[in-house]
Amino acid sequence: MFSMAHQSLAVAATVGAAPPADGDDVVIVKSRYGDYEVRRDHLITFPKGLIGFGDQRRFALLDLPNPGADRFKLLQSLDDLALAFHVLPLQPETSGFDAADIAAAVGPMDIKAESLAVLLIVTLRRAGDGVELTANMRAPLLVDANSRTAHQHVIANEKYSLRQRLN
């Protein structure tokens, strides 16, 4: 499911993994799931922040510890450790977005197609005895995997749901 752009966004090392090589510039990221070691050059910067969180600009993309949640990642703020989002990485070409909408979104950001990664913010809600998972397709996170900069873009096309069911 992941393209090369998505693979380059992977976590450098997680707790319990082999320690980073000598000389690596590593930051310890504290999350609700524990501590992670992430190379500084793997951090993601949102120059304008996220909608509603304009002052949150530095994030790490972390693996979730639950094997059943391996299709999701945790987007953890480094500016406010209490702030984190579950996200769903998608390949741009199989994301369900029209190519024209993606092109219009990334054009002003100067993100090349081969380095584009798309993340959707996921919401988990209790629904009866289970959990309902939805993703915000109206405001995807568009990441340049080369520069590690990202933007949240609101797509004007109303065919994209704010609460697209995932399960």
Side-chain angles (χ1 to χ4, degrees):
M1 176 176 203
F2 299 104
S3 69
M4 291 299 268
H6 297 105
Q7 291 171 2
S8 66
L9 290 174
V11 175
T14 60
V15 172
D22 289 339
D24 280 354
D25 193 10
V26 174
V27 62
I28 303 298
V29 177
K30 296 187 179 294
S31 81
R32 67 180 92 164
Y33 298 107
D35 295 350
Y36 290 77
E37 295 178 354
V38 180
R39 287 185 19 199
R40 215 174 273 284
D41 63 353
H42 281 73
L43 299 178
I44 300 170
T45 302
F46 286 80
K48 297 179 182 177
L50 297 173
I51 296 170
F53 302 95
D55 58 338
Q56 306 299 309
R57 299 199 172 138
R58 299 176 317 130
F59 288 83
L61 191 62
L62 307 174
D63 289 325
L64 292 168
N66 182 342
D70 57 353
R71 70 178 173 154
F72 301 101
K73 300 286 184 188
L74 184 71
L75 186 66
Q76 174 66 57
S77 171
L78 301 180
D79 299 314
D80 178 356
L81 297 179
L83 181 66
F85 301 94
H86 289 94
V87 294
L88 177 62
L90 298 175
Q91 292 180 347
E93 57 277 358
T94 60
S95 65
F97 291 104
D98 288 341
D101 289 330
I102 291 292
V106 299
M109 298 172 209
D110 198 32
I111 300 174
K112 306 283 187 255
E114 61 273 5
S115 67
L116 174 64
V118 177
L119 304 172
L120 300 180
I121 294 178
V122 174
T123 302
L124 294 84
R125 289 185 186 81
R126 295 227 181 263
D129 292 337
V131 175
E132 177 185 65
L133 298 173
T134 60
N136 182 347
M137 292 208 43
R138 182 76 60 86
L141 308 178
L142 306 172
V143 183
D144 184 329
N146 290 334
S147 69
R148 316 241 4 123
T149 57
H151 304 274
Q152 186 171 23
H153 180 78
V154 177
I155 298 176
N157 190 335
E158 291 185 12
K159 82 175 196 174
Y160 303 113
S161 175
L162 292 170
R163 292 185 179 159
Q164 178 66 45
R165 283 189 76 149
L166 298 179
N167 54 349

